Amino acid sequence: MSAFNLDAALAKRRDDNLYRERKLLGSAQGPEVIVDGRKTLAFCSNDYLGLANHPEVIASFRKATDQYGVGGGASHLVIGHSEAHHKLEEELAEFTGRPRVILFSTGYMANIGVISALLGKRDAVFQDRLNHASLIDAGQLSGARFQRYLHNDPASLELKLQRSETERKLVVTDGVFSMDGDIAPVRELSTVARKHDAWLMVDDAHGFGSVGIGGRGVADLHDMSTEDLPVLVGTLGKAFGTAGAFVAGSEALIETLVQFARTYIYTTSMPPAVAEATRTSLRLLRDEEWRREHLKDLIDQFRSGCEQLGLELMESNTPIQPILVGTAENALAMSAALAEEGILVTAIRPPTVPNGMSRLRVTFSASHTTEHVNRLLSALEKVSKNINGIQAREKMKWQQ
Ligand SMILES: *Cc1c(COP(=O)(O)O)cnc(C)c1O
């Protein structure tokens, strides 16, 4: 038998209810999308402000292709760093209140680039146990000593920091947790980090646009200066509705990344038109406060509707509103039942979340209406007896 027995691993993934299937999207992002040829009402994209298909963002993109064409053409350090990229960096620096910003082609690459540029074998990285996969991978690739602390628990972090004797220590957390929707206690984490001479890095992929004044994210919510929070990461594929990522920080940090972040140096720059489109989406994200207000109304409507149905939600006041159902099998069954009602909510299963913590990850966008949320709630009502039963049974396990 071949060493590459791929079929066996695939069959096991299927048996474990962990098999992934790609749905075929036939339309732009929006509340109502064409999926596998059928119109459906979707609650699973990260386009929290409805900017991915905004006419002004599209117009900026089109216009920029007249000037710059399509491809980035080269890496930033060769001849791929356009005026469009540079202006976006400057505008993001002003937006985040940081001295300087650097763009990356994706959030995954930003995280790998930063952590590997800052840490090596003799250093240590401390991560929340529910951090996004890209942060976990980045920590491991850096070769630094890797430690995980309990979720959102500064005391647990402090115990690990106290025992560490390495010179450089980096504490890393999601800002808004991608699969849970709760917010990291960044102020407390920063206090603990500073006490032990460690740096704090926050990946606020889901916080920018959705929380803080002008959508300035978790750093703004907790009024964190560059000293409190030296490494701030944001992504552009979520609330910004475009693609790419950025790191904001001191002049020295950003220059270090230009010189040493391998995922910055050895890759083609993002298409300049994406940078131009993002300049427009940044303006809309920052200035159109009504999008966040409307989003908040939808979240309140959903949470009180679920309460009436006896459905338990997680502690979240962000657009990420997961319904915990325990096993992967439960999550798939509930997602399929909602699909029967014309509603798309994806089942999130291990290894994306811990074993026994599978969930329906419901997300909202400013482009949803109260009528859309009513339709979701009616569909949930139809399947809620099942979910109620599941939650009652699974609860015993969660509390352990
Ligand atoms: C989505 C996400 C990323 C990855 O960003 P991409 O630009 O999609 O590669 C990184 N961190 C977190 C917390 C995310 O949710």
Side-chain angles (χ1 to χ4, degrees), residues 109-148:
M109 297 215 294
N111 286 335
I112 290 175
V114 175
I115 299 182
S116 296
L118 291 179
L119 304 179
K121 280 203 297 284
R122 287 196 298 274
D123 307 314
V125 63
F126 302 81
Q127 298 211 17
D128 187 292
R129 60 182 289 272
L130 297 187
N131 273 356
H132 189 262
S134 61
L135 293 170
I136 305 290
D137 292 358
Q140 261 150 8
L141 279 170
S142 73
R145 225 188 124 188
F146 194 103
Q147 302 201 51
R148 287 178 149 187

Side-chain angles (χ1 to χ4, degrees), residues 106-108 111 132 134 174 178 203 205-206 235 238 244:
T106 75
Y108 205 127
N111 286 335
H132 189 262
S134 61
D174 279 26
S178 57
D203 172 356
H206 300 270
T235 68
K238 279 127 192 180

